[in-house]
Amino acid sequence: MEDELEGLRAHFPLSFGKTSNVSAPTEAIHNATRRTDVATTEAEVSSDFATKDSNPGKSESGFPSLSCSSETWLRSVRGPNRNPNSSSLAMGPPPPPSKPTQEEDDGVLMGPPPPPKGLVNSNDSDDEDDMIGPPPPPRAAVDSDEDSDDDDADDNEENRYQIPLSNEIQLKGHTKIVSSLAVDSAGARVLSGSYDYTVRMYDFQGMNSRLQSFRQIEPSEGHQVRSLSWSPTSGQFLCVTGSAQAKIYDRDGLTLGEFMKGDMYIRDLKNTKGHICGLTCGEWHPWIKETVLTSSEDGSLRIWDVNNFLSQTQVIKPKLARPGRVPVTTCAWDRDGKRIAGGVGDGSIQIWSLKPGWGSRPDIYVGNAHTDDITSVKFSSDGRILLSRSFDGSLKVWDLRQMKEALKAFEGLPNNYPQTNVAFSPDEQIILTGTSVEKDSSTGGLLCFYDRTKLEIVQKVGISPTCSVVQCAWHPRLNQIFATSGDKSQGGTHILYDPTQSERGACVCVARAPRKKSVDDYQPEPVIHNPHALPLFRDAPSRKREREKALKDPLKSHKPEVPMSGPGHGGRVGTTGSSLLTQYLMKQGGMIKETWMEEDPREAILKYAEVAVKDPKFIAPAYSQTQPKTIFAKSDDEEEEKEGDTKK
């Protein structure tokens, strides 16, 4: 046997078939990130494999239990197909039959019984009715052909979708719900924007199992991050916030430019150089790395050139049933970049074709496509299907060749956030979207999968019991599903993957342990004592005692005087419960009287005029030679009396 293995191994590399020291801890790490509902369902299946329902990919609660590869792996561990009529899974040799056989006379069986001598004779065996427990494996391979065909059909149906759901990790860091998500084409960097006004950047290649972001930026202070989009080359990304100006950043998070803001006092939007209200959505052109599309609450879509931040290249005004300004809530390019779709606040979907001489008049107009604001639109790569998601709790599938009526409308999908999107799987056979948490509902945030061909639901995956799911994406290279969630106090990005199907991404960073701290990393802050240093370099002495002493000094602390209580002293008049006898007598006798209110101010000043003339002190002697004679104006009363006499 060993010689045969050595001969076979000669045809393969030396490392083939040899166990490495890294495989065991990696498997343990992936087991730690395994979803709880998957582990629970596997335990139920292993304990009661025969009584499982016809859909092994789901648990009783309706949430996914096993991914396709995990189900296949579990069945391979269990061994070949067994008789489904058995009530329990056999662990070891079967119980002895009621009638003794010739094989039992040879000795005690150590393992499963040997196969029968012939398949034909085994079918006619008289001991078939007396057999207790599952039949031998060869017998099952012959007798249960129909059962195996049914299992293969179930496996083929399940393997058709290949949804990686077995493991899950979460990128944390935001303090509010994560409203925007962007993954570059290579699957190396992830951007997440939140209602906490920040954008966090994650790098799978430089990130360890702590799953921390390497950079955090705040594009516009006090404005929510509403949309993020990578350029076709993944060298730059577009950041759209609640402000009227979108920003362009490079791959490392450095600001490259900010688009112009328009004049809000110009009524015609085509004459403004930019948006005048808050932005709602933005997306980079799928092929041209200089072109960007944005939509705004001012009721317009604009196409920009990233080389010119001073003005847009094209302004698109949607068609409205009534004159006014209706916000454009979302926008999207098609795969070829030749068409633009916009969702308008009145519930209509409008599509423009970029051709010579095109204008603001839409080529396709679907009025009342939804009964509420549209939060997302998405083209299929073949240009035949359009998906739309709305606040009315529905997801609609449209045929672009016949837009009068939707092909299918999936209802019962609560949506409370204007950034809730809809996405395709890499092969575009599955449609996925998230749901929001309602107040009176016990169901948490879900990620729903729908079959594009059959237009029916495939699976519902529970992401969080208390947080809503907003953005979702299925990356084609990584084969991993991203879903953002959160509420008013927390937010994160969930990554669903399968170690046997997914590549790089989460599989790389989860297996990378954080660097251990060594003694050499410890650097205490040095404290240098030099009592004979110059006064310039000495530590400032403590002023605590001086401050305490100054607080006790009433003059330095500017302490106000405490009012007197009792008889006065030190020149201050005292106060008692009743006025003093002397004060009472002086007030009654008129000796203490306030006369300034009854006295004429003119007379009070003129009574010092004679004294100033007779005995000048300061100013008058200096101007005695040049000062003219002072003439005081007479009283108004005397002038009035003279005027009255003349009139008489």
Side-chain angles (χ1 to χ4, degrees):
M1 187 66 180
E2 293 294 335
D3 298 338
E4 294 179 359
L5 292 176
E6 291 296 334
L8 291 174
R9 185 171 293 178
H11 299 280
F12 297 95
L14 296 177
S15 59
F16 181 82
K18 294 184 178 180
T19 58
S20 60
N21 297 329
V22 185
S23 60
T26 303
E27 183 179 356
I29 290 172
H30 289 311
N31 290 334
T33 60
R34 199 167 186 81
R35 290 174 57 87
T36 56
D37 53 353
V38 175
T40 304
T41 310
E42 285 188 357
E44 294 175 357
V45 173
S46 61
S47 62
D48 194 6
F49 175 73
T51 58
K52 67 183 182 71
D53 54 6
S54 60
N55 190 357
K58 296 183 181 179
S59 62
E60 296 179 358
S61 62
F63 287 162
S65 58
L66 295 172
S67 64
C68 311
S69 60
S70 301
E71 177 74 14
T72 307
W73 169 80
L74 188 60
R75 293 195 178 193
S76 64
V77 171
R78 295 194 190 104
N81 295 331
R82 294 180 173 86
N83 188 3
N85 297 328
S86 61
S87 59
S88 62
L89 189 64
M91 302 298 294
S98 58
K99 295 182 181 181
T101 59
Q102 183 178 359
E103 296 173 355
E104 291 182 351
D105 298 336
D106 298 337
V108 181
L109 288 176
M110 301 299 292
K117 297 180 180 180
L119 295 177
V120 179
N121 295 332
S122 62
N123 294 333
D124 299 332
S125 176
D126 297 333
D127 298 335
E128 180 180 358
D129 297 336
D130 299 332
M131 176 67 70
I132 298 176
R139 166 89 175 268
V142 178
D143 292 345
S144 59
D145 290 340
E146 296 180 358
D147 296 335
S148 62
D149 294 340
D150 295 340
D151 293 340
D152 294 340
D154 294 340
D155 292 342
N156 295 333
E157 183 68 20
E158 183 182 4
N159 293 335
R160 173 186 176 185
Y161 300 109
Q162 298 288 330
I163 304 177
L165 297 174
S166 62
N167 295 63
E168 177 184 2
I169 62 173
Q170 184 178 5
L171 306 179
K172 298 181 179 180
H174 290 287
T175 57
K176 291 185 180 180
I177 188 168
V178 180
S179 57
S180 55
L181 172 71
V183 188
D184 64 350
S185 57
R189 292 198 173 179
V190 179
L191 304 176
S192 63
S194 172
Y195 279 8
D196 60 3
Y197 319 134
T198 62
V199 175
R200 288 184 175 268
M201 305 180 66
Y202 301 88
D203 188 0
F204 283 127
Q205 301 299 326
M207 188 167 52
N208 54 29
S209 58
R210 294 180 180 176
L211 306 178
Q212 296 178 350
S213 61
F214 73 91
R215 178 157 296 176
Q216 177 182 353
I217 57 178
E218 187 173 359
S220 183
E221 184 177 0
H223 292 282
Q224 301 171 349
V225 181
R226 296 183 176 178
S227 180
L228 295 168
S229 178
W230 283 100
S231 64
T233 59
S234 299
Q236 303 170 354
F237 67 89
L238 169 69
C239 180
V240 172
T241 61
S243 65
Q245 298 172 274
K247 287 188 176 182
I248 302 294
Y249 293 87
D250 66 355
R251 186 175 177 82
D252 296 327
L254 302 178
T255 306
L256 298 179
E258 184 178 21
F259 292 116
M260 178 68 71
K261 181 179 180 181
D263 189 353
M264 66 179 66
Y265 297 104
I266 299 178
R267 184 165 183 81
D268 190 0
L269 296 177
K270 289 191 174 181
N271 296 329
T272 60
K273 295 183 179 180
H275 290 290
I276 61 175
C277 294
L279 302 177
T280 57
C281 186
E283 188 174 346
W284 212 294
H285 194 281
W287 302 109
I288 304 175
K289 62 180 181 179
E290 293 87 8
T291 305
V292 171
L293 173 67
T294 58
S295 61
S296 172
E297 296 172 353
D298 60 7
S300 67
L301 297 93
R302 297 174 190 263
I303 300 177
W304 304 82
D305 188 350
V306 297
N307 297 322
N308 181 18
F309 293 98
L310 300 180
S311 180
Q312 71 277 342
T313 58
Q314 182 71 28
V315 180
I316 306 173
K317 295 173 62 177
K319 178 182 177 181
L320 301 177
R322 297 178 181 179
R325 289 183 179 177
V326 180
V328 181
T329 56
T330 184
C331 60
W333 295 93
D334 69 343
R335 183 178 179 85
D336 299 330
K338 296 181 180 180
R339 286 185 292 183
I340 295 174
V344 190
D346 58 1
S348 64
I349 298 176
Q350 304 184 27
I351 301 176
W352 295 267
S353 297
L354 277 66
K355 53 188 177 182
W358 71 286
S360 295
R361 185 175 182 85
D363 296 295
I364 299 176
Y365 175 81
V366 183
N368 298 325
H370 288 273
T371 58
D372 209 336
D373 291 354
I374 300 174
T375 61
S376 177
V377 289
K378 180 71 174 178
F379 283 98
S380 62
S381 61
D382 56 6
R384 296 182 179 180
I385 299 296
L386 179 70
L387 307 177
S388 62
R389 187 81 162 89
S390 174
F391 270 140
D392 58 8
S394 66
L395 165 63
K396 291 189 177 182
V397 183
W398 303 85
D399 188 352
L400 292 172
R401 297 167 293 183
Q402 186 70 25
M403 291 287 290
K404 292 183 178 180
E405 189 174 351
L407 294 177
K408 180 69 175 179
F410 300 101
E411 304 290 343
L413 302 173
N415 181 10
N416 301 330
Y417 294 93
Q419 288 79 33
T420 303
N421 74 331
V422 60
F424 279 108
S425 62
D427 57 357
E428 295 195 352
Q429 296 302 316
I430 297 178
I431 304 169
L432 61 154
T433 186
T435 62
S436 301
V437 177
E438 295 182 315
K439 293 183 179 179
D440 301 333
S441 177
S442 60
T443 306
L446 304 178
L447 190 61
C448 303
F449 297 85
Y450 298 92
D451 192 327
R452 172 186 171 180
T453 306
K454 298 181 180 180
L455 296 178
E456 61 183 14
I457 188 168
V458 176
Q459 267 184 338
K460 287 186 178 180
V461 181
I463 299 298
S464 175
T466 58
C467 299
S468 302
V469 179
V470 180
Q471 292 269 314
C472 59
W474 192 334
H475 199 275
R477 288 194 177 184
L478 303 181
N479 194 21
Q480 298 174 10
I481 300 174
F482 297 80
T484 66
S485 64
D487 53 14
K488 295 181 180 180
S489 60
Q490 60 178 340
T493 303
H494 298 259
I495 303 178
L496 307 178
Y497 70 98
D498 193 324
T500 60
Q501 296 182 15
S502 305
E503 297 179 1
R504 301 193 305 270
C507 301
V508 175
C509 62
V510 168
R512 185 182 295 115
R515 179 177 175 271
K516 294 182 179 180
K517 293 184 178 180
S518 62
V519 181
D520 299 334
D521 297 335
Y522 178 71
Q523 295 180 354
E525 296 182 359
V527 179
I528 301 174
H529 299 278
N530 190 0
H532 304 291
L534 296 174
L536 178 64
F537 303 103
R538 289 179 184 173
D539 294 334
S542 177
R543 304 287 183 180
K544 183 177 180 181
R545 292 185 179 180
E546 294 184 5
R547 289 195 300 267
E548 293 178 353
K549 189 176 181 180
L551 290 175
K552 294 179 181 179
D553 189 353
L555 296 178
K556 293 183 178 181
S557 61
H558 302 284
K559 183 178 180 181
E561 294 183 355
V562 180
M564 293 291 297
S565 61
H569 61 86
R572 300 178 60 188
V573 180
T575 59
T576 59
S578 61
S579 61
L580 298 177
L581 179 59
T582 307
Q583 296 177 2
Y584 176 75
L585 294 175
M586 293 178 70
K587 287 182 179 180
Q588 294 296 329
M591 299 178 68
I592 300 178
K593 184 174 67 172
E594 296 178 353
T595 60
W596 61 272
M597 296 184 67
E598 301 175 359
E599 188 177 2
D600 186 9
R602 183 176 180 276
E603 294 179 357
I605 295 174
L606 290 178
K607 69 181 180 180
Y608 299 102
E610 297 179 359
V611 179
V613 172
K614 293 179 181 180
D615 188 13
K617 291 184 178 181
F618 302 105
I619 300 176
Y623 297 95
S624 60
Q625 301 297 329
T626 60
Q627 187 72 16
K629 184 179 179 179
T630 305
I631 300 175
F632 295 100
K634 296 182 179 181
S635 175
D636 296 337
D637 298 335
E638 295 177 358
E639 293 178 358
E640 291 176 359
E641 291 177 359
K642 290 181 179 181
E643 291 178 359
D645 295 340
T646 55
K647 289 180 181 179
K648 291 179 180 180

